[in-house]
Structures are given as structure tokens and as C-alpha cells.
Amino acid sequence: MHGLIGKMRAVEGRRDELIAILLEGVAGMPGCLSYVVAKDPADADAIWITEVWDSEESHKASLALPSVKDAISRGRPLIAGFDSHVVTEPVGGHGLTASAAP
Amino acid sequence: MHGLIGKMRAVEGRRDELIAILLEGVAGMPGCLSYVVAKDPADADAIWITEVWDSEESHKASLALPSVKDAISRGRPLIAGFDSHVVTEPVGGHGLTASAAP
């Protein structure tokens, strides 16, 4: 499995708008086992995204899905920057669920 | 929802053993919506744990479950330390699944 833990910074005051776009693109991504979007309660502009994919290839392929490309293009103007980005190797747990086909 | 993103350091060479204990305790925790254990591919002793709970109270209550207390007592000697610990406020995504009762 392939995992990502990232902290993203929204343009001031636009976090909720950016989160809504991030969540729209989430359904039906082949190979996506978990994708959680969270607010940082200690930082009004920060968003945490934690992802688990069956493989790195599935994650890369997702970036070419029309729904994801559309979300990226709408979300990009609302992103002020990325604070951290960690690649992980998930080994198990609870809540790892194959996504239904779109 | 209540989320946690933590980086734990295993005693040198004991990471796989610690991961096995962490994964054993995962099933049947009431209110647990996601619990993912991952290796850090860049750091041979590091483990990432990402959790989503329906509430902070459910997370606190889980620490009193016999299975979790047992895992904590067996895992503790294998933990060298905690590198980071972030509380998040998950708002949605894919793979958030109520755990079956034990």
C-alpha cells in the first residue's frame, strides 16, 4: 500500500471552500482505500489530508481522472501552500475500503 | 469527528513487532471510523498512525478497553518515543467506517 499525509494551507478565509472541492472529487477513485480531509483546530487556514492507495500507480493514475483534474484546477487558486508532505507505507488497520467504480 | 496523526519511534529493530501489536488491538473499537498503521519508508524505526473517531470521548473510552490496555502494556517496552502528535477535526472523505462491535 501507498500512503500520503499532507498539510495544506488555504488562502486566508477560504478553507471551507477548498475543503468542499477536495471532498467532491473523492468518490470513485480506483485503488483509493482511504481519503480523509480534516481541519487543523489549531490553525484556521490549515487542512490535513491523509490518503491510502493500493499502489503508488493508482495514486498517480487518479491525478488524470477528469473529476480530479477538475477539482485540482478549481482548488488551486484557493491553496496558499503546502506545509508538509510525508509518504508512508500503510500495513493495515481499520477503514481501508475499496472505492466503488465511478 | 476527532482525528489523530502521530509519528512513533520503535526501539531499534523492533518496528515490525510493535506494528503487529498495534494492529491486533484495532478491531471492534466503538466509535473508531479509521485506524491506519504505516511504516515510514525513509526511517527504519518510525511508524505513522492516523486515526478518525466519531468523538474525542470514543477515543478516550477506547483506552480503557481490555484489548487496548493489553496492547499498550505489551507495546510500551517497544516504543522509544513519539516524534509528533497532531489533533485534527476530520470533516469527510472515503473509508470512514464504523467498526463492528467486538
Side-chain angles (χ1 to χ4, degrees), chain A residues 5 19 23 26 32-39 41 48 50 52 86-97 99, chain B residues 5 19 23 26 32-39 41 48 50 52 86-97 99:
Chain A
I5 299 173
I19 285 175
L23 289 176
V26 154
C32 180
L33 303 179
S34 177
Y35 190 105
V36 177
V37 179
K39 297 179 183 180
W48 289 92
T50 53
V52 182
V86 175
V87 173
T88 70
E89 189 186 327
V91 290
H94 168 69
L96 299 170
T97 314
S99 181
Chain B
I5 299 174
I19 285 174
L23 289 176
V26 155
C32 180
L33 303 179
S34 176
Y35 189 104
V36 177
V37 178
K39 297 179 184 179
W48 289 92
T50 52
V52 182
V86 175
V87 173
T88 71
E89 188 186 327
V91 290
H94 167 70
L96 300 170
T97 314
S99 181

mmCIF file of all heavy atoms in Angstrom, chain A residues 5 19 23 26 32-39 41 48 50 52 86-97 99, chain B residues 5 19 23 26 32-39 41 48 50 52 86-97 99:
data_model
loop_
_atom_site.group_PDB
_atom_site.id
_atom_site.type_symbol
_atom_site.label_atom_id
_atom_site.label_comp_id
_atom_site.label_asym_id
_atom_site.label_seq_id
_atom_site.Cartn_x
_atom_site.Cartn_y
_atom_site.Cartn_z
ATOM 1 N N ILE A 5 0.491 11.679 3.844
ATOM 2 C CA ILE A 5 -0.009 12.543 4.919
ATOM 3 C C ILE A 5 0.468 13.945 4.592
ATOM 4 O O ILE A 5 1.678 14.196 4.573
ATOM 5 C CB ILE A 5 0.549 12.114 6.293
ATOM 6 C CG1 ILE A 5 0.121 10.682 6.642
ATOM 7 C CG2 ILE A 5 0.101 13.083 7.382
ATOM 8 C CD1 ILE A 5 0.777 10.134 7.915
ATOM 9 N N ILE A 19 -12.024 22.850 1.138
ATOM 10 C CA ILE A 19 -12.402 21.522 1.638
ATOM 11 C C ILE A 19 -13.560 20.951 0.820
ATOM 12 O O ILE A 19 -13.571 19.769 0.464
ATOM 13 C CB ILE A 19 -12.760 21.596 3.147
ATOM 14 C CG1 ILE A 19 -11.478 21.737 3.970
ATOM 15 C CG2 ILE A 19 -13.539 20.349 3.580
ATOM 16 C CD1 ILE A 19 -11.714 21.951 5.461
ATOM 17 N N LEU A 23 -13.472 17.381 -1.185
ATOM 18 C CA LEU A 23 -14.368 16.266 -0.871
ATOM 19 C C LEU A 23 -15.195 15.829 -2.079
ATOM 20 O O LEU A 23 -15.559 14.652 -2.191
ATOM 21 C CB LEU A 23 -15.294 16.634 0.290
ATOM 22 C CG LEU A 23 -14.602 16.730 1.652
ATOM 23 C CD1 LEU A 23 -15.591 17.201 2.712
ATOM 24 C CD2 LEU A 23 -13.994 15.387 2.054
ATOM 25 N N VAL A 26 -13.645 12.954 -4.236
ATOM 26 C CA VAL A 26 -13.171 11.785 -3.500
ATOM 27 C C VAL A 26 -13.816 10.461 -3.940
ATOM 28 O O VAL A 26 -13.198 9.403 -3.870
ATOM 29 C CB VAL A 26 -13.402 12.013 -1.983
ATOM 30 C CG1 VAL A 26 -13.548 10.723 -1.236
ATOM 31 C CG2 VAL A 26 -12.283 12.861 -1.418
ATOM 32 N N CYS A 32 -8.226 3.732 -4.425
ATOM 33 C CA CYS A 32 -8.192 4.557 -3.208
ATOM 34 C C CYS A 32 -8.850 3.781 -2.068
ATOM 35 O O CYS A 32 -10.021 3.419 -2.148
ATOM 36 C CB CYS A 32 -8.928 5.874 -3.430
ATOM 37 S SG CYS A 32 -8.901 6.925 -1.954
ATOM 38 N N LEU A 33 -8.104 3.528 -1.009
ATOM 39 C CA LEU A 33 -8.616 2.758 0.132
ATOM 40 C C LEU A 33 -9.055 3.648 1.285
ATOM 41 O O LEU A 33 -9.843 3.233 2.132
ATOM 42 C CB LEU A 33 -7.545 1.777 0.611
ATOM 43 C CG LEU A 33 -7.022 0.805 -0.451
ATOM 44 C CD1 LEU A 33 -5.958 -0.103 0.141
ATOM 45 C CD2 LEU A 33 -8.148 -0.020 -1.054
ATOM 46 N N SER A 34 -8.523 4.852 1.334
ATOM 47 C CA SER A 34 -8.911 5.803 2.378
ATOM 48 C C SER A 34 -8.475 7.193 1.934
ATOM 49 O O SER A 34 -7.392 7.365 1.345
ATOM 50 C CB SER A 34 -8.228 5.440 3.704
ATOM 51 O OG SER A 34 -8.521 6.389 4.718
ATOM 52 N N TYR A 35 -9.326 8.175 2.204
ATOM 53 C CA TYR A 35 -9.014 9.576 1.848
ATOM 54 C C TYR A 35 -9.782 10.445 2.827
ATOM 55 O O TYR A 35 -10.998 10.545 2.739
ATOM 56 C CB TYR A 35 -9.449 9.852 0.402
ATOM 57 C CG TYR A 35 -8.978 11.173 -0.151
ATOM 58 C CD1 TYR A 35 -7.926 11.227 -1.069
ATOM 59 C CD2 TYR A 35 -9.569 12.370 0.235
ATOM 60 C CE1 TYR A 35 -7.492 12.439 -1.582
ATOM 61 C CE2 TYR A 35 -9.132 13.585 -0.274
ATOM 62 C CZ TYR A 35 -8.096 13.608 -1.192
ATOM 63 O OH TYR A 35 -7.665 14.811 -1.706
ATOM 64 N N VAL A 36 -9.066 11.014 3.785
ATOM 65 C CA VAL A 36 -9.720 11.770 4.849
ATOM 66 C C VAL A 36 -9.244 13.220 4.815
ATOM 67 O O VAL A 36 -8.039 13.490 4.797
ATOM 68 C CB VAL A 36 -9.419 11.146 6.232
ATOM 69 C CG1 VAL A 36 -10.059 11.985 7.345
ATOM 70 C CG2 VAL A 36 -9.930 9.710 6.302
ATOM 71 N N VAL A 37 -10.192 14.123 4.810
ATOM 72 C CA VAL A 37 -9.902 15.554 4.839
ATOM 73 C C VAL A 37 -10.270 16.078 6.222
ATOM 74 O O VAL A 37 -11.371 15.815 6.724
ATOM 75 C CB VAL A 37 -10.719 16.295 3.756
ATOM 76 C CG1 VAL A 37 -10.440 17.792 3.816
ATOM 77 C CG2 VAL A 37 -10.407 15.733 2.370
ATOM 78 N N ALA A 38 -9.336 16.810 6.844
ATOM 79 C CA ALA A 38 -9.551 17.281 8.213
ATOM 80 C C ALA A 38 -9.090 18.722 8.365
ATOM 81 O O ALA A 38 -8.113 19.147 7.748
ATOM 82 C CB ALA A 38 -8.779 16.397 9.203
ATOM 83 N N LYS A 39 -9.815 19.459 9.194
ATOM 84 C CA LYS A 39 -9.366 20.787 9.599
ATOM 85 C C LYS A 39 -8.308 20.647 10.690
ATOM 86 O O LYS A 39 -8.343 19.693 11.469
ATOM 87 C CB LYS A 39 -10.540 21.590 10.169
ATOM 88 C CG LYS A 39 -11.653 21.863 9.181
ATOM 89 C CD LYS A 39 -12.762 22.646 9.877
ATOM 90 C CE LYS A 39 -13.940 22.863 8.928
ATOM 91 N NZ LYS A 39 -15.027 23.623 9.573
ATOM 92 N N PRO A 41 -7.535 22.123 14.089
ATOM 93 C CA PRO A 41 -8.234 23.003 15.030
ATOM 94 C C PRO A 41 -7.342 24.108 15.589
ATOM 95 O O PRO A 41 -7.843 25.088 16.131
ATOM 96 C CB PRO A 41 -8.692 22.057 16.151
ATOM 97 C CG PRO A 41 -8.077 20.734 15.903
ATOM 98 C CD PRO A 41 -7.411 20.737 14.566
ATOM 99 N N TRP A 48 -5.480 19.012 6.807
ATOM 100 C CA TRP A 48 -4.718 17.767 6.753
ATOM 101 C C TRP A 48 -5.421 16.804 5.798
ATOM 102 O O TRP A 48 -6.644 16.616 5.885
ATOM 103 C CB TRP A 48 -4.635 17.113 8.131
ATOM 104 C CG TRP A 48 -3.753 17.851 9.090
ATOM 105 C CD1 TRP A 48 -4.132 18.820 9.969
ATOM 106 C CD2 TRP A 48 -2.346 17.682 9.263
ATOM 107 N NE1 TRP A 48 -3.038 19.261 10.691
ATOM 108 C CE2 TRP A 48 -1.925 18.583 10.272
ATOM 109 C CE3 TRP A 48 -1.375 16.860 8.665
ATOM 110 C CZ2 TRP A 48 -0.605 18.695 10.693
ATOM 111 C CZ3 TRP A 48 -0.064 16.959 9.090
ATOM 112 C CH2 TRP A 48 0.318 17.874 10.087
ATOM 113 N N THR A 50 -5.097 12.805 4.604
ATOM 114 C CA THR A 50 -4.418 11.509 4.772
ATOM 115 C C THR A 50 -5.027 10.545 3.764
ATOM 116 O O THR A 50 -6.245 10.428 3.640
ATOM 117 C CB THR A 50 -4.563 10.982 6.208
ATOM 118 O OG1 THR A 50 -5.935 10.966 6.580
ATOM 119 C CG2 THR A 50 -3.810 11.852 7.189
ATOM 120 N N VAL A 52 -4.699 6.611 1.627
ATOM 121 C CA VAL A 52 -4.135 5.271 1.452
ATOM 122 C C VAL A 52 -4.585 4.755 0.083
ATOM 123 O O VAL A 52 -5.776 4.792 -0.239
ATOM 124 C CB VAL A 52 -4.596 4.278 2.539
ATOM 125 C CG1 VAL A 52 -3.930 2.913 2.342
ATOM 126 C CG2 VAL A 52 -4.285 4.806 3.941
ATOM 127 N N VAL A 86 4.331 13.806 3.629
ATOM 128 C CA VAL A 86 5.069 12.603 4.002
ATOM 129 C C VAL A 86 4.503 11.414 3.229
ATOM 130 O O VAL A 86 3.284 11.256 3.141
ATOM 131 C CB VAL A 86 4.926 12.332 5.525
ATOM 132 C CG1 VAL A 86 5.594 11.024 5.911
ATOM 133 C CG2 VAL A 86 5.482 13.481 6.331
ATOM 134 N N VAL A 87 5.377 10.616 2.670
ATOM 135 C CA VAL A 87 4.964 9.356 2.038
ATOM 136 C C VAL A 87 5.089 8.254 3.071
ATOM 137 O O VAL A 87 6.091 8.184 3.787
ATOM 138 C CB VAL A 87 5.851 9.047 0.811
ATOM 139 C CG1 VAL A 87 5.536 7.670 0.258
ATOM 140 C CG2 VAL A 87 5.658 10.106 -0.263
ATOM 141 N N THR A 88 4.055 7.414 3.171
ATOM 142 C CA THR A 88 4.104 6.302 4.119
ATOM 143 C C THR A 88 3.841 4.980 3.395
ATOM 144 O O THR A 88 3.454 4.967 2.230
ATOM 145 C CB THR A 88 3.061 6.463 5.253
ATOM 146 O OG1 THR A 88 1.745 6.266 4.706
ATOM 147 C CG2 THR A 88 3.140 7.821 5.906
ATOM 148 N N GLU A 89 4.048 3.908 4.151
ATOM 149 C CA GLU A 89 3.786 2.569 3.623
ATOM 150 C C GLU A 89 2.791 1.890 4.573
ATOM 151 O O GLU A 89 3.195 1.186 5.497
ATOM 152 C CB GLU A 89 5.117 1.812 3.574
ATOM 153 C CG GLU A 89 5.053 0.480 2.863
ATOM 154 C CD GLU A 89 6.382 -0.270 3.002
ATOM 155 O OE1 GLU A 89 7.453 0.381 3.049
ATOM 156 O OE2 GLU A 89 6.324 -1.500 3.101
ATOM 157 N N PRO A 90 1.484 2.119 4.350
ATOM 158 C CA PRO A 90 0.495 1.528 5.256
ATOM 159 C C PRO A 90 0.579 0.005 5.236
ATOM 160 O O PRO A 90 0.805 -0.608 4.183
ATOM 161 C CB PRO A 90 -0.845 2.013 4.692
ATOM 162 C CG PRO A 90 -0.508 3.269 3.947
ATOM 163 C CD PRO A 90 0.842 2.971 3.345
ATOM 164 N N VAL A 91 0.389 -0.590 6.422
ATOM 165 C CA VAL A 91 0.472 -2.045 6.519
ATOM 166 C C VAL A 91 -0.833 -2.680 6.996
ATOM 167 O O VAL A 91 -0.983 -3.899 6.938
ATOM 168 C CB VAL A 91 1.642 -2.484 7.432
ATOM 169 C CG1 VAL A 91 2.970 -2.193 6.763
ATOM 170 C CG2 VAL A 91 1.581 -1.798 8.796
ATOM 171 N N GLY A 92 -1.779 -1.879 7.466
ATOM 172 C CA GLY A 92 -3.046 -2.457 7.882
ATOM 173 C C GLY A 92 -3.814 -1.517 8.778
ATOM 174 O O GLY A 92 -3.413 -0.371 8.987
ATOM 175 N N GLY A 93 -4.935 -2.025 9.292
ATOM 176 C CA GLY A 93 -5.746 -1.226 10.179
ATOM 177 C C GLY A 93 -7.212 -1.381 9.893
ATOM 178 O O GLY A 93 -7.649 -2.365 9.300
ATOM 179 N N HIS A 94 -7.968 -0.384 10.306
ATOM 180 C CA HIS A 94 -9.417 -0.383 10.128
ATOM 181 C C HIS A 94 -9.806 0.760 9.195
ATOM 182 O O HIS A 94 -9.223 1.837 9.268
ATOM 183 C CB HIS A 94 -10.084 -0.197 11.498
ATOM 184 C CG HIS A 94 -11.536 0.110 11.407
ATOM 185 N ND1 HIS A 94 -12.465 -0.824 10.984
ATOM 186 C CD2 HIS A 94 -12.232 1.250 11.629
ATOM 187 C CE1 HIS A 94 -13.660 -0.275 10.978
ATOM 188 N NE2 HIS A 94 -13.542 0.986 11.366
ATOM 189 N N GLY A 95 -10.799 0.505 8.317
ATOM 190 C CA GLY A 95 -11.308 1.580 7.458
ATOM 191 C C GLY A 95 -10.629 1.658 6.110
ATOM 192 O O GLY A 95 -10.670 2.698 5.462
ATOM 193 N N LEU A 96 -9.985 0.578 5.693
ATOM 194 C CA LEU A 96 -9.359 0.557 4.360
ATOM 195 C C LEU A 96 -10.335 -0.145 3.424
ATOM 196 O O LEU A 96 -10.529 -1.355 3.506
ATOM 197 C CB LEU A 96 -8.013 -0.162 4.414
ATOM 198 C CG LEU A 96 -7.015 0.512 5.362
ATOM 199 C CD1 LEU A 96 -5.792 -0.362 5.579
ATOM 200 C CD2 LEU A 96 -6.597 1.861 4.806
ATOM 201 N N THR A 97 -10.971 0.636 2.554
ATOM 202 C CA THR A 97 -12.124 0.167 1.804
ATOM 203 C C THR A 97 -11.967 0.531 0.336
ATOM 204 O O THR A 97 -11.769 1.702 0.014
ATOM 205 C CB THR A 97 -13.395 0.888 2.317
ATOM 206 O OG1 THR A 97 -13.397 0.868 3.735
ATOM 207 C CG2 THR A 97 -14.650 0.242 1.784
ATOM 208 N N SER A 99 -12.890 1.735 -3.148
ATOM 209 C CA SER A 99 -13.913 2.667 -3.602
ATOM 210 C C SER A 99 -14.723 2.031 -4.721
ATOM 211 O O SER A 99 -14.183 1.306 -5.554
ATOM 212 C CB SER A 99 -13.220 3.925 -4.105
ATOM 213 O OG SER A 99 -14.139 4.866 -4.538
ATOM 214 N N ILE B 5 -3.027 12.263 14.175
ATOM 215 C CA ILE B 5 -1.946 11.871 13.267
ATOM 216 C C ILE B 5 -0.681 11.852 14.109
ATOM 217 O O ILE B 5 -0.270 12.904 14.620
ATOM 218 C CB ILE B 5 -1.778 12.878 12.103
ATOM 219 C CG1 ILE B 5 -3.061 12.955 11.266
ATOM 220 C CG2 ILE B 5 -0.578 12.506 11.239
ATOM 221 C CD1 ILE B 5 -3.032 14.042 10.183
ATOM 222 N N ILE B 19 4.373 -2.994 15.363
ATOM 223 C CA ILE B 19 3.251 -2.853 14.421
ATOM 224 C C ILE B 19 2.260 -4.003 14.603
ATOM 225 O O ILE B 19 1.040 -3.800 14.604
ATOM 226 C CB ILE B 19 3.770 -2.795 12.967
ATOM 227 C CG1 ILE B 19 4.397 -1.423 12.696
ATOM 228 C CG2 ILE B 19 2.647 -3.079 11.966
ATOM 229 C CD1 ILE B 19 5.063 -1.286 11.337
ATOM 230 N N LEU B 23 -1.720 -3.531 15.466
ATOM 231 C CA LEU B 23 -2.793 -3.983 14.569
ATOM 232 C C LEU B 23 -3.750 -4.965 15.248
ATOM 233 O O LEU B 23 -4.929 -5.017 14.905
ATOM 234 C CB LEU B 23 -2.201 -4.619 13.305
ATOM 235 C CG LEU B 23 -1.529 -3.628 12.349
ATOM 236 C CD1 LEU B 23 -0.891 -4.369 11.192
ATOM 237 C CD2 LEU B 23 -2.536 -2.599 11.834
ATOM 238 N N VAL B 26 -6.890 -3.360 16.937
ATOM 239 C CA VAL B 26 -7.642 -2.408 16.124
ATOM 240 C C VAL B 26 -9.114 -2.771 15.934
ATOM 241 O O VAL B 26 -9.976 -1.895 15.798
ATOM 242 C CB VAL B 26 -6.936 -2.269 14.746
ATOM 243 C CG1 VAL B 26 -7.905 -1.835 13.678
ATOM 244 C CG2 VAL B 26 -5.759 -1.325 14.850
ATOM 245 N N CYS B 32 -14.631 4.028 16.446
ATOM 246 C CA CYS B 32 -13.444 4.172 15.592
ATOM 247 C C CYS B 32 -13.865 4.079 14.128
ATOM 248 O O CYS B 32 -14.413 3.068 13.700
ATOM 249 C CB CYS B 32 -12.421 3.088 15.909
ATOM 250 S SG CYS B 32 -10.939 3.220 14.881
ATOM 251 N N LEU B 33 -13.611 5.128 13.358
ATOM 252 C CA LEU B 33 -14.026 5.165 11.953
ATOM 253 C C LEU B 33 -12.872 4.840 11.005
ATOM 254 O O LEU B 33 -13.089 4.445 9.868
ATOM 255 C CB LEU B 33 -14.595 6.548 11.614
ATOM 256 C CG LEU B 33 -15.775 6.994 12.490
ATOM 257 C CD1 LEU B 33 -16.239 8.379 12.067
ATOM 258 C CD2 LEU B 33 -16.923 5.999 12.403
ATOM 259 N N SER B 34 -11.658 5.040 11.475
ATOM 260 C CA SER B 34 -10.481 4.713 10.664
ATOM 261 C C SER B 34 -9.284 4.625 11.592
ATOM 262 O O SER B 34 -9.155 5.424 12.534
ATOM 263 C CB SER B 34 -10.251 5.795 9.603
ATOM 264 O OG SER B 34 -9.071 5.543 8.858
ATOM 265 N N TYR B 35 -8.409 3.650 11.320
ATOM 266 C CA TYR B 35 -7.197 3.484 12.137
ATOM 267 C C TYR B 35 -6.176 2.812 11.231
ATOM 268 O O TYR B 35 -6.301 1.633 10.921
ATOM 269 C CB TYR B 35 -7.505 2.606 13.355
ATOM 270 C CG TYR B 35 -6.397 2.538 14.383
ATOM 271 C CD1 TYR B 35 -6.484 3.254 15.577
ATOM 272 C CD2 TYR B 35 -5.257 1.762 14.163
ATOM 273 C CE1 TYR B 35 -5.472 3.186 16.525
ATOM 274 C CE2 TYR B 35 -4.244 1.707 15.110
ATOM 275 C CZ TYR B 35 -4.359 2.414 16.288
ATOM 276 O OH TYR B 35 -3.351 2.355 17.230
ATOM 277 N N VAL B 36 -5.206 3.583 10.782
ATOM 278 C CA VAL B 36 -4.245 3.071 9.804
ATOM 279 C C VAL B 36 -2.837 3.120 10.394
ATOM 280 O O VAL B 36 -2.402 4.160 10.898
ATOM 281 C CB VAL B 36 -4.299 3.881 8.487
ATOM 282 C CG1 VAL B 36 -3.250 3.377 7.504
ATOM 283 C CG2 VAL B 36 -5.701 3.812 7.869
ATOM 284 N N VAL B 37 -2.164 1.999 10.319
ATOM 285 C CA VAL B 37 -0.781 1.904 10.782
ATOM 286 C C VAL B 37 0.119 1.807 9.559
ATOM 287 O O VAL B 37 -0.131 1.001 8.656
ATOM 288 C CB VAL B 37 -0.589 0.659 11.673
ATOM 289 C CG1 VAL B 37 0.857 0.547 12.118
ATOM 290 C CG2 VAL B 37 -1.530 0.710 12.878
ATOM 291 N N ALA B 38 1.158 2.650 9.517
ATOM 292 C CA ALA B 38 2.037 2.698 8.338
ATOM 293 C C ALA B 38 3.490 2.789 8.753
ATOM 294 O O ALA B 38 3.831 3.416 9.757
ATOM 295 C CB ALA B 38 1.680 3.916 7.470
ATOM 296 N N LYS B 39 4.334 2.144 7.963
ATOM 297 C CA LYS B 39 5.775 2.326 8.115
ATOM 298 C C LYS B 39 6.190 3.639 7.452
ATOM 299 O O LYS B 39 5.560 4.077 6.483
ATOM 300 C CB LYS B 39 6.528 1.187 7.415
ATOM 301 C CG LYS B 39 6.270 -0.185 7.994
ATOM 302 C CD LYS B 39 7.063 -1.230 7.197
ATOM 303 C CE LYS B 39 6.754 -2.632 7.703
ATOM 304 N NZ LYS B 39 7.496 -3.662 6.943
ATOM 305 N N PRO B 41 8.850 4.887 5.080
ATOM 306 C CA PRO B 41 9.872 4.265 4.226
ATOM 307 C C PRO B 41 11.230 4.959 4.334
ATOM 308 O O PRO B 41 12.251 4.393 3.944
ATOM 309 C CB PRO B 41 9.297 4.390 2.801
ATOM 310 C CG PRO B 41 8.097 5.258 2.875
ATOM 311 C CD PRO B 41 7.752 5.503 4.322
ATOM 312 N N TRP B 48 3.807 5.623 11.469
ATOM 313 C CA TRP B 48 2.752 6.643 11.440
ATOM 314 C C TRP B 48 1.419 5.981 11.794
ATOM 315 O O TRP B 48 1.086 4.931 11.247
ATOM 316 C CB TRP B 48 2.644 7.269 10.055
ATOM 317 C CG TRP B 48 3.798 8.151 9.702
ATOM 318 C CD1 TRP B 48 4.938 7.789 9.045
ATOM 319 C CD2 TRP B 48 3.930 9.548 9.982
ATOM 320 N NE1 TRP B 48 5.773 8.873 8.904
ATOM 321 C CE2 TRP B 48 5.179 9.963 9.473
ATOM 322 C CE3 TRP B 48 3.112 10.490 10.621
ATOM 323 C CZ2 TRP B 48 5.628 11.283 9.574
ATOM 324 C CZ3 TRP B 48 3.565 11.800 10.723
ATOM 325 C CH2 TRP B 48 4.805 12.188 10.209
ATOM 326 N N THR B 50 -2.632 7.005 11.885
ATOM 327 C CA THR B 50 -3.656 8.015 11.619
ATOM 328 C C THR B 50 -4.996 7.432 12.048
ATOM 329 O O THR B 50 -5.338 6.299 11.706
ATOM 330 C CB THR B 50 -3.688 8.421 10.140
ATOM 331 O OG1 THR B 50 -3.785 7.253 9.330
ATOM 332 C CG2 THR B 50 -2.418 9.163 9.747
ATOM 333 N N VAL B 52 -9.314 8.183 12.999
ATOM 334 C CA VAL B 52 -10.520 9.008 12.983
ATOM 335 C C VAL B 52 -11.538 8.357 13.912
ATOM 336 O O VAL B 52 -11.812 7.155 13.803
ATOM 337 C CB VAL B 52 -11.141 9.144 11.577
ATOM 338 C CG1 VAL B 52 -12.364 10.062 11.618
ATOM 339 C CG2 VAL B 52 -10.121 9.662 10.559
ATOM 340 N N VAL B 86 -0.520 15.197 16.265
ATOM 341 C CA VAL B 86 -1.381 16.296 15.849
ATOM 342 C C VAL B 86 -2.837 15.871 16.028
ATOM 343 O O VAL B 86 -3.221 14.767 15.643
ATOM 344 C CB VAL B 86 -1.133 16.655 14.363
ATOM 345 C CG1 VAL B 86 -2.103 17.726 13.886
ATOM 346 C CG2 VAL B 86 0.300 17.077 14.131
ATOM 347 N N VAL B 87 -3.635 16.743 16.617
ATOM 348 C CA VAL B 87 -5.082 16.521 16.699
ATOM 349 C C VAL B 87 -5.727 17.214 15.515
ATOM 350 O O VAL B 87 -5.389 18.357 15.193
ATOM 351 C CB VAL B 87 -5.644 17.086 18.022
ATOM 352 C CG1 VAL B 87 -7.171 17.005 18.044
ATOM 353 C CG2 VAL B 87 -5.063 16.334 19.208
ATOM 354 N N THR B 88 -6.628 16.504 14.831
ATOM 355 C CA THR B 88 -7.325 17.102 13.693
ATOM 356 C C THR B 88 -8.836 17.010 13.892
ATOM 357 O O THR B 88 -9.317 16.327 14.807
ATOM 358 C CB THR B 88 -6.962 16.400 12.365
ATOM 359 O OG1 THR B 88 -7.549 15.087 12.351
ATOM 360 C CG2 THR B 88 -5.462 16.298 12.171
ATOM 361 N N GLU B 89 -9.540 17.684 12.991
ATOM 362 C CA GLU B 89 -11.008 17.657 13.014
ATOM 363 C C GLU B 89 -11.478 17.173 11.637
ATOM 364 O O GLU B 89 -11.730 17.982 10.742
ATOM 365 C CB GLU B 89 -11.510 19.071 13.311
ATOM 366 C CG GLU B 89 -12.993 19.165 13.555
ATOM 367 C CD GLU B 89 -13.430 20.626 13.696
ATOM 368 O OE1 GLU B 89 -12.640 21.456 14.209
ATOM 369 O OE2 GLU B 89 -14.542 20.929 13.243
ATOM 370 N N PRO B 90 -11.556 15.845 11.439
ATOM 371 C CA PRO B 90 -11.937 15.331 10.123
ATOM 372 C C PRO B 90 -13.345 15.792 9.747
ATOM 373 O O PRO B 90 -14.237 15.874 10.606
ATOM 374 C CB PRO B 90 -11.892 13.808 10.300
ATOM 375 C CG PRO B 90 -10.940 13.590 11.444
ATOM 376 C CD PRO B 90 -11.211 14.753 12.360
ATOM 377 N N VAL B 91 -13.512 16.100 8.475
ATOM 378 C CA VAL B 91 -14.814 16.587 8.017
ATOM 379 C C VAL B 91 -15.448 15.670 6.971
ATOM 380 O O VAL B 91 -16.622 15.824 6.651
ATOM 381 C CB VAL B 91 -14.716 18.032 7.468
ATOM 382 C CG1 VAL B 91 -14.465 18.999 8.608
ATOM 383 C CG2 VAL B 91 -13.631 18.165 6.411
ATOM 384 N N GLY B 92 -14.700 14.718 6.440
ATOM 385 C CA GLY B 92 -15.298 13.804 5.476
ATOM 386 C C GLY B 92 -14.238 13.103 4.662
ATOM 387 O O GLY B 92 -13.046 13.238 4.914
ATOM 388 N N GLY B 93 -14.718 12.328 3.686
ATOM 389 C CA GLY B 93 -13.794 11.615 2.817
ATOM 390 C C GLY B 93 -14.285 10.219 2.529
ATOM 391 O O GLY B 93 -15.470 9.909 2.649
ATOM 392 N N HIS B 94 -13.343 9.367 2.169
ATOM 393 C CA HIS B 94 -13.638 7.977 1.832
ATOM 394 C C HIS B 94 -12.966 7.063 2.853
ATOM 395 O O HIS B 94 -11.848 7.335 3.277
ATOM 396 C CB HIS B 94 -13.111 7.668 0.420
ATOM 397 C CG HIS B 94 -13.091 6.220 0.094
ATOM 398 N ND1 HIS B 94 -14.249 5.499 -0.105
ATOM 399 C CD2 HIS B 94 -12.077 5.334 -0.020
ATOM 400 C CE1 HIS B 94 -13.931 4.240 -0.341
ATOM 401 N NE2 HIS B 94 -12.619 4.119 -0.298
ATOM 402 N N GLY B 95 -13.656 5.975 3.231
ATOM 403 C CA GLY B 95 -13.030 4.989 4.107
ATOM 404 C C GLY B 95 -13.304 5.229 5.575
ATOM 405 O O GLY B 95 -12.570 4.721 6.422
ATOM 406 N N LEU B 96 -14.332 5.995 5.887
ATOM 407 C CA LEU B 96 -14.715 6.208 7.288
ATOM 408 C C LEU B 96 -15.839 5.235 7.605
ATOM 409 O O LEU B 96 -16.958 5.382 7.137
ATOM 410 C CB LEU B 96 -15.149 7.654 7.505
ATOM 411 C CG LEU B 96 -14.039 8.663 7.185
ATOM 412 C CD1 LEU B 96 -14.590 10.085 7.175
ATOM 413 C CD2 LEU B 96 -12.908 8.553 8.186
ATOM 414 N N THR B 97 -15.520 4.198 8.378
ATOM 415 C CA THR B 97 -16.394 3.052 8.530
ATOM 416 C C THR B 97 -16.546 2.716 10.000
ATOM 417 O O THR B 97 -15.543 2.503 10.689
ATOM 418 C CB THR B 97 -15.746 1.823 7.840
ATOM 419 O OG1 THR B 97 -15.269 2.216 6.562
ATOM 420 C CG2 THR B 97 -16.727 0.689 7.703
ATOM 421 N N SER B 99 -16.769 0.592 13.138
ATOM 422 C CA SER B 99 -16.227 -0.724 13.445
ATOM 423 C C SER B 99 -17.332 -1.620 13.994
ATOM 424 O O SER B 99 -18.212 -1.152 14.720
ATOM 425 C CB SER B 99 -15.128 -0.550 14.487
ATOM 426 O OG SER B 99 -14.546 -1.765 14.803
#
